[in-house]
């Protein structure tokens, strides 16, 4: 009887004296139920005899968790099942990937510039000719200069004209470059009034060591026509400032030639298909790394996986580079798919410096492990793609093929929730010992079952065949023990699904009744589980981490037993002091039972304080008497018993101080024959108090 | 002749004779003031008056003063010895009543017609009446263990409580020189009502306490008691007081009906049952189930529900505790008079109440009035009244019922006090 809510709050005894009269007819119940503290209320003692709790229980209340099965004749089979062994997915498949290291120099560096156009006027040529030490050349030069804007009836052929240096400046896009491959196209466009018979032009760096980049010779360029010559410049060093020198230029003569010193020969330099070994230049956007590879899971033994779904794990990417520009790279695992989208990440690595680390959660990804998706025949292979690129920035940077980008990619803490493939052939020993708690509360007396079945049950939720073998089972209870064995039993595969359909196999154990009647508290076992015992390859096998293979030790005992002073003891912690109404003074508790079970019982309670010291007890010599059985062994009539427990004032006080209570119950059946328990047996409990109670007591 | 007809009509209908708030038949001042007059006749000297009245009265034919005092006034521990006095007095049927009332009102005589007197005021009343069996008292104060394997007679028993405030107006008319009639109409603001009634039946206790079984029809009505009855909004009602006095040469006959009316009480929690109800405790279900709290607090609603008794919240109309009173005052001379009162309240088990009073004038302005009463809630009791007139227009009266309380508190019942303070104009 807990304190707190008065039973008849609506009576609402207030200070007005007349109100107190009003509860007269309900004081009986009020005394039982109300414990509201009110110092201004009168008090008096009463002796209350009333029930306060009852319940009715059947075997389903005593045997929990569906561990009792009712047979068609209403008899009961008791099931006890304890886990022997659990085979987790991790035990047969461990996902370890090697680090995917890419330590890569630049594949290539592309370089390109706009065409460089240099115009050499007739005036420039004439003035250089005039200054020539060769008298005839000088005379020809002076003639041209003096004939500016005139039409000469005849111009003779002019040979061995030289000129230069004419500067070519590309330093706005290039400081210098070592050309790895490429061509320089030199195009000469004749804007002069006479044909060029031969032109030999030297293009040369303007700085030390003045290396010649190209020296094309072009011939027979008619007035107004162009001619191009390609020069292979592989291996050449190119500076941002160069000079063009005319080593030799020969003109055909002509008649009626109009001389205009502003007419010019145009030289156009165009680079193409150029890659550089190194350069300090403004580079165009270009891919600098492009890598595709398959990363294989390690230590897979005979396991060949086609696919796995990630329960947890992450991709870790560590990148460092010597490239003095930001590298943009894309890492993708095309066969890792989540919600229909392949895994792909775009990341930027800052210019040369430290190492950048990127982590991506792979939980929930289904990862194909068939290697290159274009081939798709591999196992345990994770296909990756890495693409690195630079972007056009408009800034000159030094870049060399010795520059490198270092990428380390790893799949870490990878735990699959599901795998598919061939899961290998291995044998797992399952030796060990398990405690059995079902008989733990038996602290005395004897219990003997009429019969029992014991088996090791393997629930195979993995999609692979196996076999189980139990070589030894030994049940222990103190010095008592019993042994059993079993034969090897094949385990059928589970059927894929989520959850998978479990295939259960029973491995029967010998000597079952003896095992059970030991009332074992521990069971030692030894045996093995074998996966793919035939070794037949089948890559459609599967396993879920959430649904491991479980092996149970299962007892099945018809509830037909002989109990003799079977004593059960249980200790229950009292989390908070019993809320006994402090108005309860003394008296007794009556346990009234109508027992429909064929055993008698005695129940006692011992109340302990926090240090385990016995504070008080509710003890009795009286038994809950067993029901009467008929000739067929079935109960024909329940039996009523009234057991009284004395509740002194001290006992009530002690109960309120207790922190735990030990219940001891002893049971006995007929000892001459087995008593069978049926599902329709009931026992009714009723607890009544015959207690001195102080009305309005505190 | 006309007056005779009027008087006859009044007498015929009885209740049409009317009364005043001060209930002349109980008012010592009114009685003694008449005794000072040369003859018993109706006078018209007063222009009006203001009166403050208070009454407290407890009585029972069984529950002793000592027991009641400890239960109600002292709120102390009641020992077995304390109970014994009441237990010794218990009868098969027992009564108990507690009446507390107070009023303030004024009268005003009409200037146009001095035979008409108007009346208005406010009043408050808290009244409890119980009629109960011997066993139910023992159940309440000793417990039911003594009835193990036996029936305890719990009915017929009833307990009623009224608490209400009223605003009233009235008028008195002198019909002739021998006859006064009057009436008052009260508007009632309900304060609180509770009623528990059990018909004839038993409460059986199993010898082992396995069950307790009630086989008595019952009903229970209850409201939340308000802290302030004037502010409560628990219902409304109306009532009338009716009064008539007939003057004879040396005597006065008064007939009155008080609190004739009804109140509609709101939102009464109502439990009604007319079957046999067996209580076997609280079903605690599966005691082996994890988390079962076994026994929780037990509330009336849940107990009732377990017994199949549904609570209904409804309005209820009840009659007021109506009282019919007849008084006869006989004046022997200017020193002595006697008065007999007989009243009846329409309550189950209530006995007709009779009172014989003697009036003795120590001086013309100071009277002593001893009295003996029989019936009502109690058995035989004594009273002593005093009436004093001060400065001609002020009067104070007190009627004390305390003799038994002081002389035999553990073996007798009944005590109370009635006070009037009146200013006449």
């Amino acid at each position: 009887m807990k304190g707190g809510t008065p039973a008849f709050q609506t009576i609402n005894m207030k200070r007005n004296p007349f109100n107190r009269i009003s509860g007269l007819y309900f004081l009986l119940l009020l005394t039982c139920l109300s414990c509201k503290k009110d110092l201004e209320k009168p008090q008096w003692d009463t002796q209350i005899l009333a029930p306060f709790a009852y319940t009715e229980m059947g075997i389903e209340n005593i045997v929990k968790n569906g561990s009792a099965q009712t047979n068609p004749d209403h008899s009961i089979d008791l099931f006890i099942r304890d886990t022997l062994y659990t085979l987790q997915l991790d035990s047969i498949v461990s996902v370890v990937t090697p680090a995917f290291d890419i330590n890569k120099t630049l594949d290539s560096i592309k370089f390109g510039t706009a065409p460089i156009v240099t115009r050499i006027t007739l005036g420039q040529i004439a003035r250089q000719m005039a200054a020539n030490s060769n008298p005839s050349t000088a005379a020809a030069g002076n003639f041209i200069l003096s004939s500016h804007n005139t039409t000469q009836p005849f111009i003779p052929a002019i040979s061995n004209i030289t000129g230069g240096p004419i500067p070519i400046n590309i330093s706005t896009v290039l400081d210098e470059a070592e050309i790895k491959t490429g061509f320089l196209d030199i195009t000469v466009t004749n804007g002069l009034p006479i044909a060029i018979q031969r032109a030999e032009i030297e293009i040369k760096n303007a700085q030390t060591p003045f290396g010649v980049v190209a020296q094309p010779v072009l011939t027979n360029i008619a007035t107004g026509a162009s001619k191009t010559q390609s020069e292979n410049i592989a291996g050449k060093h190119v500076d941002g400032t160069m000079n063009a020198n005319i080593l030799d230029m020969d003109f055909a003569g002509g008649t009626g030639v109009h001389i205009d010193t502003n007419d010019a020969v145009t030289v156009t330099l165009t680079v193409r298909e150029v890659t550089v070994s190194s350069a300090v230049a403004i580079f165009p956007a270009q891919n600098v790394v492009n890598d595709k590879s398959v990363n294989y899971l390690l230590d897979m033994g005979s396991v060949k996986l086609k696919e796995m779904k990630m329960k947890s794990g992450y991709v870790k990417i560590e990148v460092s580079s010597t490239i003095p520009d930001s590298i943009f790279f894309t890492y993708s695992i095309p066969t890792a798919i989540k919600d229909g989208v392949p895994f792909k990440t775009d990341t930027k690595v800052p210019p040369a410096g430290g190492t950048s680390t990127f982590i991506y959660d792979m939980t929930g990804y289904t990862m194909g492990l068939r290697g290159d998706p274009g081939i798709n025949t591999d196992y345990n292979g994770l296909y990756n793609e890495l693409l690195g690129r630079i972007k056009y920035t408009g800034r000159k940077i030094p870049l060399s093929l010795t520059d490198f980008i270092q990428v380390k990619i790893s799949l870490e803490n990878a735990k699959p929730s599901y795998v598919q493939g061939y899961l290998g052939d291995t044998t797992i020993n399952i030796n060990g010992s398990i405690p059995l708690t079902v008989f733990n509360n038996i602290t005395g007396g004897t219990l003997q079952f009429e019969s029992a079945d014991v088996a090791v049950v393997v629930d195979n939720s993995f999609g692979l065949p196996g076999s189980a073998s139990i070589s030894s089972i030994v049940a222990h209870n103190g010095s008592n023990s019993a042994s059993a064995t079993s034969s090897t039993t094949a385990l059928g595969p589970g059927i894929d699904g989520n959850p998978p359909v479990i295939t259960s196999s029973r491995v029967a154990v010998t000597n079952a009744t003896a095992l059970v009647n030991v009332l074992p508290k521990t069971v030692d076992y030894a045996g093995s589980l074998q996966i793919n015992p035939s070794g037949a390859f089948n890559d459609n096998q599967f396993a879920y981490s959430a649904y491991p293979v479980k092996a149970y030790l299962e007892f099945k005992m018809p509830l037909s037993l002989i109990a003799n002073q079977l004593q059960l003891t249980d200790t229950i912690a009292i989390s908070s002091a019993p809320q006994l109404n402090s108005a309860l003074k003394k008296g007794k508790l009556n346990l009234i039972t109508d027992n429909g079970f064929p055993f008698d019982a005695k129940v006692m309670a011992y109340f302990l304080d926090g240090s385990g010291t016995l504070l008080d007890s509710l003890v009795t010599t009286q038994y809950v008497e067993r029901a009467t059985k008929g000739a067929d062994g079935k109960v024909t009539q329940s039996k009523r018993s009234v057991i009284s427990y004395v509740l002194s004032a001290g006992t009530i006080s002690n109960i309120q101080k207790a922190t735990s209570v030990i219940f001891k119950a002893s049971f006995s059946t007929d000892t001459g024959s087995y008593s069978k328990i049926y599902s329709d047996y009931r026992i009714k409990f009723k607890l009544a108090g015959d207690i001195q109670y102080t009305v309005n007591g505190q | 002749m006309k007056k005779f007809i009027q008087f006859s009509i009044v007498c015929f209908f009885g209740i049409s004779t009317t009364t005043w708030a001060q209930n002349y038949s109980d008012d010592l001042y009114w009685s003694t003031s008449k005794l000072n007059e040369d003859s018993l006749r109706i006078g018209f000297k007063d222009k009006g008056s203001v009166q403050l009245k208070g009454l407290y009265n407890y009585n029972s034919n069984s529950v002793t003063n000592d027991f009641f005092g400890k239960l109600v006034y002292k709120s102390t521990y009641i020992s077995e010895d304390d109970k014994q006095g009441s237990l010794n007095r218990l009868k098969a049927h027992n009564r108990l009543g507690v009446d507390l009332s107070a009023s303030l009102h004024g009268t005003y005589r009409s200037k146009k017609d001095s035979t008409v007197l108007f009346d208005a005021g406010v009043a408050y009343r808290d009244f409890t009446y119980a009629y109960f069996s011997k066993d139910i008292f023992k159940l309440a104060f000793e417990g039911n263990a003594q009835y193990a394997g036996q029936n305890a007679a719990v009915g017929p028993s009833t307990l009623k409580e009224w608490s209400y405030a009223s605003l009233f107006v009235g008028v008195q008319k002198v019909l002739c020189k021998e006859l006064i009639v009057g009436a008052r109409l009260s508007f009632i603001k309900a304060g609180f009502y509770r009623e528990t009634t059990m018909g004839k039946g038993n409460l059986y206790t199993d010898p082992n306490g396995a069950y307790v079984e009630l086989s008595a029809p019952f009903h229970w009505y209850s409201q939340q008691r308000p802290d302030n009855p004037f502010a409560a909004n628990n219902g409304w009602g109306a009532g009338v007081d009716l009064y008539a006095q007939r003057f004879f040469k040396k005597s006065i006959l008064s007939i009155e009906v008080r609190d004739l009316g009804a109140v509609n009480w709101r939102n009464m929690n109502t439990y009604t049952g007319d079957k046999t109800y067996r209580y076997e405790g609280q079903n605690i279900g599966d005691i082996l189930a994890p988390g079962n709290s076994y026994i929780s607090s037990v509330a009336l609603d849940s107990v009732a529900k377990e017994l199949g008794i549904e609570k209904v919240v409804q309005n209820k109309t009840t009659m007021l505790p109506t009282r019919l009173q007849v008084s006869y005052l006989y004046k022997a001379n200017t020193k002595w008079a006697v008065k007999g009162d007989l009243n009846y309240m329409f309550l189950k088990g209530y006995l007709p109440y009779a009172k014989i009073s003697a009036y003795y004038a120590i001086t013309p302005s100071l009277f002593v009035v001893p009295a003996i009463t029989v019936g009502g809630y109690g058995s035989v009791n004594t009273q002593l009244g005093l009436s004093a007139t001060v400065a001609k227009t002020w009067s104070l009266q007190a009627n004390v019922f305390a003799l038994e309380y002081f002389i035999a508190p553990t073996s007798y019942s009944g005590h109370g006090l009635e006070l009037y303070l009146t200013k006449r104009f």
Side-chain angles (χ1 to χ4, degrees):
Chain A
M1 297 178 63
K2 288 184 175 180
T5 309
F8 297 102
Q9 284 184 314
T10 49
I11 286 176
N12 195 19
M13 305 279 276
K14 292 198 177 246
R15 293 185 182 182
N16 188 321
F18 308 105
N19 301 336
R20 298 195 181 125
I21 307 297
S22 63
L24 200 60
Y25 300 120
F26 290 99
L27 285 174
L28 169 63
L29 285 177
L30 185 144
T31 53
C32 301
L33 306 171
S34 171
C35 59
K36 186 175 183 179
K37 187 175 180 180
D38 187 340
L39 295 175
E40 296 188 26
K41 288 182 177 177
Q43 298 179 2
W44 63 92
D45 291 336
T46 58
Q47 190 71 25
I48 302 299
L49 175 59
F52 57 83
Y54 71 90
T55 189
E56 179 175 323
M57 299 173 72
I59 193 67
E60 74 279 6
N61 303 111
I62 298 168
V63 182
K64 297 287 186 182
N65 303 326
S67 51
Q69 178 179 308
T70 303
N71 296 313
D73 66 349
H74 299 293
S75 64
I76 304 293
D77 288 343
L78 176 64
F79 280 94
I80 301 167
R81 184 182 247 212
D82 260 285
T83 303
L84 270 186
Y85 183 79
T86 301
L87 177 62
Q88 302 284 0
L89 172 58
D90 293 354
S91 302
I92 56 173
V93 175
S94 175
V95 176
V96 179
T97 58
F100 173 31
D101 279 319
I102 302 172
N103 194 349
K104 194 165 182 56
T105 54
L106 302 190
D107 290 332
S108 65
I109 303 171
K110 293 177 182 173
F111 176 76
T113 65
I116 301 161
V117 179
T118 301
R119 193 163 178 273
I120 305 170
T121 64
L122 181 61
Q124 285 177 291
I125 297 170
R127 280 188 288 273
Q128 287 186 3
M129 291 168 65
N132 199 294
S133 58
N134 186 325
S136 58
T137 300
N142 289 326
F143 172 76
I144 293 170
L145 291 171
S146 62
S147 303
H148 173 61
N149 210 22
T150 62
T151 300
Q152 295 298 323
F154 175 74
I155 295 294
I158 303 171
S159 302
N160 301 321
I161 298 300
T162 60
I166 302 163
I168 301 171
N169 188 357
I170 57 172
S171 63
T172 54
V173 295
L174 174 74
D175 285 350
E176 59 178 332
E178 298 295 336
I179 306 299
K180 184 181 180 187
T181 60
F183 296 91
L184 176 64
D185 293 338
I186 301 102
T187 302
V188 176
T189 303
N190 185 7
L192 301 180
I194 51 177
I196 298 172
Q197 289 181 316
R198 184 175 182 276
E200 183 177 358
I201 300 170
E202 176 192 66
I203 297 170
K204 188 177 183 182
N205 292 319
Q207 300 173 39
T208 307
F210 306 108
V212 175
V213 177
Q215 190 172 323
V217 176
L218 299 101
T219 58
N220 300 323
I221 307 169
T223 296
S226 294
K227 206 159 217 177
T228 298
Q229 180 165 327
S230 291
E231 290 283 303
N232 188 344
I233 58 173
K236 295 291 177 61
H237 175 88
V238 175
D239 285 335
T241 54
M242 293 178 287
N243 289 322
N245 294 305
I246 300 171
L247 299 181
D248 175 46
M249 189 173 286
D250 301 330
F251 296 97
T255 57
V257 177
H258 181 77
I259 296 175
D260 184 346
T261 55
N262 292 320
D263 290 341
V265 174
T266 302
V267 179
T268 300
L269 303 178
T270 304
V271 294
R272 62 180 171 85
E273 300 172 21
V274 172
T275 62
V276 297
S277 300
S278 66
V280 179
I282 297 172
F283 292 95
Q286 58 189 292
N287 292 338
V288 293
V289 175
N290 190 355
D291 197 278
K292 298 175 182 177
S293 60
V294 175
N295 208 17
Y296 290 94
L297 304 180
L298 296 177
D299 302 327
M300 296 302 283
S302 57
V303 176
K304 295 182 183 299
L305 296 185
K306 293 195 298 186
E307 179 182 296
M308 67 178 173
K309 184 168 185 179
M310 300 302 292
K311 182 170 70 176
S312 63
Y314 54 90
V315 165
K316 182 178 179 183
I317 304 174
E318 295 171 277
V319 187
S320 58
S321 102
T322 60
I323 300 170
D325 199 357
S326 295
I327 301 296
F328 298 84
F329 74 86
T330 299
Y331 176 67
S332 60
I333 309 174
T335 58
I337 295 172
K338 184 178 182 181
D339 300 327
V341 179
F343 175 80
K344 180 181 179 184
T345 180
D346 292 298
T347 303
K348 174 184 174 184
V349 180
T355 299
S356 299
T357 302
F358 308 93
I359 290 175
Y360 303 97
D361 185 8
M362 298 303 290
T363 302
Y365 275 91
T366 298
M367 308 181 85
L369 298 171
R370 306 300 312 255
D372 187 334
I375 303 169
N376 203 34
T377 56
D378 220 343
Y379 293 102
N380 303 332
L382 187 62
Y383 177 74
N384 307 263
E385 288 182 358
L386 180 68
L387 182 67
R389 63 193 181 281
I390 58 173
K391 291 184 178 179
Y392 172 79
T393 62
R395 289 183 290 108
K396 283 188 281 189
I397 58 169
L399 209 57
S400 161
L401 288 180
T402 59
D403 283 326
F404 64 90
I405 180 168
Q406 187 172 38
V407 183
K408 182 177 181 183
I409 300 172
S410 54
L411 180 62
E412 300 196 358
N413 293 336
K415 301 281 185 190
S417 60
Y418 171 82
V419 296
Q420 189 184 49
Y422 178 69
L423 300 185
D425 46 4
T426 184
T427 299
I428 300 157
N429 292 324
I430 57 170
N431 305 332
S433 179
I434 59 165
L436 278 184
T437 58
V438 67
F439 301 115
N440 269 3
N441 292 339
I442 297 176
T443 54
T446 61
L447 174 65
Q448 190 176 341
F449 290 94
E450 186 175 8
S451 63
D453 288 325
V454 178
V456 173
V457 176
V458 181
D459 284 351
N460 186 9
S461 49
F462 288 176
L464 49 79
S467 68
S469 173
I470 306 298
S471 56
S472 166
I473 284 185
V474 183
H476 298 278
N477 182 354
S479 58
N480 296 328
S481 65
S483 304
T485 59
S486 80
S487 56
T488 300
T489 301
L491 309 176
I495 301 169
D496 203 356
N498 195 3
V501 178
I502 291 171
T503 300
S504 254
S505 305
R506 290 177 64 84
V507 185
V509 168
T510 62
N511 205 22
T513 306
L515 279 182
V516 169
N517 282 332
V518 167
L519 306 180
K521 294 189 174 178
T522 58
V523 174
D524 298 338
Y525 60 92
S528 61
L529 281 175
Q530 193 172 4
I531 294 170
N532 286 316
S534 70
F537 183 81
N538 173 5
D539 63 4
N540 287 321
Q541 294 175 352
F542 66 89
Y544 290 87
S545 64
Y547 305 102
V549 174
K550 285 191 170 181
Y552 302 95
L553 185 60
E554 188 175 276
F555 297 80
K556 177 185 175 186
M557 297 158 286
L559 276 181
S560 177
L561 48 86
I562 294 172
N564 186 15
Q565 298 294 317
L566 180 71
Q567 182 170 294
L568 303 181
T569 303
D570 198 8
T571 302
I572 297 173
I574 302 172
S575 57
S576 58
Q579 297 295 304
L580 292 177
N581 194 317
S582 58
L584 298 175
K585 300 302 182 189
K586 59 185 177 182
K588 60 182 181 180
L589 283 178
N590 290 338
L591 176 63
I592 303 156
T593 57
D594 292 302
N595 186 7
F597 285 90
F599 51 74
D600 52 28
K602 183 163 68 175
V603 182
M604 293 182 285
Y606 300 86
F607 297 89
L608 310 178
D609 66 10
S611 64
T613 303
L614 178 65
L615 293 174
D616 221 312
S617 60
L618 295 177
V619 297
T620 180
T621 57
Q622 297 170 285
Y623 274 88
V624 174
E625 293 186 64
R626 74 187 68 150
T628 305
K629 290 198 294 187
D632 60 354
K634 288 188 175 179
V635 167
T636 56
Q637 189 172 7
S638 62
K639 187 161 282 186
R640 167 163 287 204
S641 304
V642 179
I643 299 172
S644 294
Y645 299 90
V646 175
L647 270 180
S648 67
T651 300
I652 292 174
S653 171
N654 286 332
I655 288 174
Q656 301 202 65
K657 296 173 191 166
T659 58
S660 62
V661 57
I662 298 174
F663 287 104
K664 287 189 176 179
S666 62
F667 302 90
S668 293
T669 62
D670 288 336
T671 53
S673 61
Y674 289 96
S675 294
K676 209 165 192 175
I677 308 299
Y678 291 89
S679 62
D680 53 355
Y681 288 179
R682 318 293 294 174
I683 183 167
K684 298 177 183 175
F685 294 99
K686 189 172 289 180
L687 208 52
D690 186 354
I691 297 171
Q692 183 182 329
Y693 178 85
T694 301
V695 176
N696 297 328
Q698 299 161 25
Chain B
M1 185 60 184
K2 180 183 175 185
K3 292 176 180 175
F4 176 77
I5 293 170
Q6 289 172 329
F7 176 71
S8 300
I9 292 170
V10 167
C11 292
F12 179 79
F13 288 101
I15 59 170
S16 63
T17 58
T18 59
T19 186
W20 289 121
Q22 64 266 46
N23 305 120
Y24 285 125
S25 56
D26 291 336
D27 187 340
L28 296 179
Y29 168 74
W30 188 89
S31 299
T32 54
S33 67
K34 293 297 176 191
L35 296 180
N36 279 325
E37 295 175 1
D38 294 336
S39 60
L40 295 177
R41 65 175 184 275
I42 301 168
F44 302 98
K45 289 185 292 186
D46 295 347
K47 294 178 181 175
S49 64
V50 175
Q51 185 179 65
L52 182 64
K53 176 191 172 185
L55 166 70
Y56 173 63
N57 179 21
Y58 160 73
N59 212 341
S60 169
N61 69 336
S62 53
V63 179
T64 66
N65 285 326
D66 178 66
F67 185 94
F68 186 80
K70 287 179 174 170
L71 181 71
V72 176
Y73 308 142
K74 299 175 184 174
S75 289
T76 186
Y77 179 74
I78 302 170
S79 68
E80 296 306 307
D81 289 342
D82 295 333
K83 296 175 191 173
Q84 201 54 52
S86 296
L87 291 169
N88 291 341
R89 294 193 75 205
L90 285 175
K91 299 150 185 72
H93 301 293
N94 303 275
R95 304 180 300 280
L96 181 149
V98 185
D99 200 351
L100 172 70
S101 62
S103 65
L104 174 64
H105 80 108
T107 60
Y108 175 73
R109 188 172 300 283
S110 170
K111 291 178 180 177
K112 291 181 180 176
D113 180 356
S114 62
T115 65
V116 175
L117 193 68
F118 297 104
D119 174 36
V122 293
Y124 171 74
R125 190 175 189 197
D126 197 323
F127 177 63
T128 299
Y129 176 74
Y131 173 73
F132 54 96
S133 68
K134 179 179 182 176
D135 285 350
I136 209 164
F137 182 90
K138 293 175 73 175
L139 285 171
F141 292 98
E142 294 192 312
N144 69 325
Q146 62 190 307
Y147 292 98
Q150 300 174 43
N151 279 314
V154 294
S157 296
T158 190
L159 169 69
K160 295 182 179 180
E161 292 178 82
W162 293 264
S163 166
Y164 54 89
S166 59
L167 173 68
F168 55 82
V169 293
V171 61
Q172 173 189 295
K173 172 67 176 174
V174 178
L175 294 179
C176 62
K177 65 180 182 181
E178 295 89 7
L179 182 63
I180 303 173
V181 294
R184 173 187 293 149
L185 179 62
S186 298
F187 302 96
I188 294 171
K189 188 168 190 181
F192 170 68
Y193 181 75
R194 179 159 52 216
E195 177 184 341
T196 306
T197 297
M198 286 193 176
K200 187 174 182 180
N202 299 306
L203 180 76
Y204 177 77
T205 301
D206 177 79
N208 299 307
Y211 63 91
V212 178
E213 189 172 84
L214 176 67
S215 54
F218 69 91
H219 57 253
W220 184 53
Y221 308 103
S222 179
Q223 280 182 308
Q224 188 71 33
R225 176 178 278 276
D227 292 332
N228 181 352
F230 294 98
N233 188 21
N234 281 344
W236 296 94
V240 294
D241 296 342
L242 304 170
Y243 174 76
Q245 270 193 325
R246 176 70 167 90
F247 285 71
F248 300 96
K249 185 175 182 181
K250 298 197 73 170
S251 61
I252 304 170
L253 174 65
S254 304
I255 302 173
E256 62 182 300
V257 176
R258 298 182 200 172
D259 296 319
L260 178 62
V263 177
N264 182 255
W265 308 87
R266 286 181 183 162
N267 300 326
M268 302 288 291
N269 293 323
T270 305
Y271 293 90
T272 303
D274 58 0
K275 297 184 287 190
T276 296
Y277 299 99
R278 175 177 287 197
Y279 184 68
E280 300 187 83
Q282 186 181 359
N283 188 347
I284 55 176
D286 186 352
I287 58 175
L288 299 179
N292 193 326
S293 59
Y294 301 139
I295 302 173
S296 58
S297 299
V298 180
L300 173 60
D301 284 359
S302 61
V303 172
K305 204 164 188 175
E306 189 150 345
L307 294 174
I309 304 167
E310 291 295 329
K311 181 176 82 172
V312 177
V313 178
Q314 60 186 8
N315 295 346
K316 177 179 172 57
T317 300
T318 67
M319 296 297 292
L320 292 170
T322 307
R323 180 174 170 182
L324 173 64
Q325 180 158 329
V326 179
S327 302
Y328 184 75
L329 175 73
Y330 177 78
K331 178 182 177 183
N333 52 48
T334 56
K335 283 283 187 182
W336 286 96
V338 293
K339 183 177 175 232
D341 295 283
L342 185 64
N343 77 38
Y344 183 75
M345 293 179 72
F346 296 90
L347 298 169
K348 185 176 181 61
Y350 187 83
L351 286 186
Y353 171 85
K355 177 180 176 183
I356 301 296
S357 309
Y359 289 71
Y360 175 70
I362 299 171
T363 69
S365 60
L366 180 62
F367 280 76
V368 60
V369 186
I372 295 176
T373 66
V374 178
Y377 323 125
S379 50
V380 179
N381 290 88
T382 61
Q383 296 183 6
L384 179 63
L386 286 171
S387 174
T389 303
V390 180
K392 293 187 178 179
T393 60
W394 285 93
S395 67
L396 175 66
Q397 307 97 50
N399 193 24
V400 181
F401 338 124
L403 190 62
E404 297 82 355
Y405 192 87
F406 292 115
I407 294 175
T410 60
S411 59
Y412 220 74
S413 311
H415 56 271
L417 176 65
E418 194 171 12
L419 286 172
Y420 294 83
L421 176 63
T422 309
K423 168 65 177 174
R424 289 178 293 120
F425 302 103

